[in-house]
Amino acid sequence: KTQYDTTKDYWASLKNQWGVSIRYKCTSNLFRKMILLKNCPICSGKQLIKKLTCIDHSKSKEKFTIVSCGTCSFTFTNPRPKDNSLSEYYKSEKYISHTNNKKGITNFLYQIVRKYSIRKKLLLINTLCKTGSLLDIGCGTGEFLNTCKKNGYITKGVEPSKIAREQAIENLNLSVTKETNLKEFEKGSFEIITLWHVLEHMPEINKQIQILK
């Protein structure tokens, strides 16, 4: 993987790799350093096919390129932000799962869909284990974790976002830690481990899966 220290180098790399020229003015030094992957993070395939370019409207206003692996079809952002700056992209009032904002029609609909989704998730884990210890990685503001707690599970959450974590602790009295090093948990501590809409945000997917096993 290669790191780019300036926005100019970053976009020049895209031009060389994909044969496209993109104009972009960076709004903050925070978002300038990127990592360019030359291999698929799942299968190490070398054929990376450009799928589309999208804009982060919530926070940075940056353009991101989405590529797909020609070998396994895994699709991901490339280049992507450096690992130590990823959390900054989620610090926005528009990121509902971290703020639990209920204002506006979009947020109102999100709350309805989330309640339905939580019920479906609970039914799913009930088919695997009706009681026991449950770890929810990336638990956000804790709604799913709280539902599991009410249904008899011994719960523990992991949430790196301070805003979301504090809501889960203060509003729902949940046990949530910011610790993202999963090796800190003893092997066999949990009957169920969930990562709802989380795995795709992890920079080293294969490594994380091996730790979970």
Side-chain angles (χ1 to χ4, degrees):
K1 66 187 177 183
T2 306
Q3 294 184 2
Y4 292 87
D5 292 329
T6 67
T7 307
K8 182 179 179 180
D9 292 339
Y10 164 41
W11 292 118
S13 74
L14 286 188
K15 182 177 180 180
N16 292 335
Q17 185 175 4
W18 308 117
V20 295
S21 179
I22 304 173
R23 289 184 180 181
Y24 180 70
K25 181 178 180 181
C26 186
T27 56
S28 170
N29 290 334
L30 173 65
F31 305 107
R32 289 187 178 180
K33 295 188 177 181
M34 311 293 284
I35 295 173
L36 177 66
L37 302 182
K38 295 184 178 180
N39 300 89
C40 172
I42 299 299
C43 73
S44 299
K46 296 181 179 180
Q47 185 186 13
L48 304 181
I49 305 165
K50 180 184 176 183
K51 303 297 286 187
L52 57 92
T53 299
C54 57
I55 299 174
D56 169 24
H57 293 284
S58 296
K59 178 70 174 180
S60 68
K61 312 305 178 186
E62 285 186 81
K63 290 183 179 179
F64 290 94
T65 298
I66 310 300
V67 303
S68 183
C69 175
T71 303
C72 72
S73 300
F74 180 69
T75 302
F76 58 100
T77 303
N78 194 39
R80 72 183 187 205
K82 291 177 64 177
D83 297 351
N84 60 6
S85 66
L86 276 174
S87 62
E88 299 298 330
Y89 286 82
Y90 301 97
K91 293 180 180 179
S92 170
E93 284 295 320
K94 296 180 181 179
Y95 198 71
I96 309 171
S97 62
H98 283 183
T99 63
N100 208 18
N101 194 337
K102 297 179 175 62
K103 297 179 180 179
I105 185 64
T106 300
N107 294 342
F108 173 75
L109 292 174
Y110 173 86
Q111 298 289 342
I112 294 175
V113 172
R114 180 167 65 179
K115 289 178 181 179
Y116 172 80
S117 176
I118 287 174
R119 290 196 297 270
K120 299 291 287 186
K121 291 172 183 176
L122 181 63
L123 289 173
L124 175 61
I125 65 171
N126 278 339
T127 65
L128 303 172
C129 183
K130 293 187 180 297
T131 59
S133 298
L134 180 145
L135 173 66
D136 186 26
I137 300 171
C139 66
T141 52
E143 276 70 19
F144 168 73
L145 205 61
N146 190 48
T147 298
C148 292
K149 183 179 178 181
K150 289 179 178 179
N151 281 269
Y153 291 93
I154 301 170
T155 60
K156 181 76 175 180
V158 171
E159 177 50 60
S161 167
K162 181 181 179 182
I163 295 174
R165 186 174 64 250
E166 288 181 346
Q167 288 194 58
I169 295 171
E170 295 173 7
N171 298 340
L172 301 174
N173 195 30
L174 296 170
S175 175
V176 180
T177 177
K178 67 177 180 179
E179 182 57 66
T180 55
N181 182 5
L182 303 181
K183 290 183 178 180
E184 294 296 318
F185 297 107
E186 292 185 15
K187 188 174 181 179
S189 299
F190 305 98
E191 278 73 36
I192 296 178
I193 300 177
T194 57
L195 301 93
W196 306 111
H197 305 291
V198 170
L199 196 60
E200 66 269 26
H201 297 276
M202 292 183 167
E204 297 179 297
I205 298 176
N206 284 344
K207 180 180 178 181
Q208 296 297 337
I209 290 175
Q210 288 303 315
I211 295 173
L212 290 172
K213 288 182 176 179

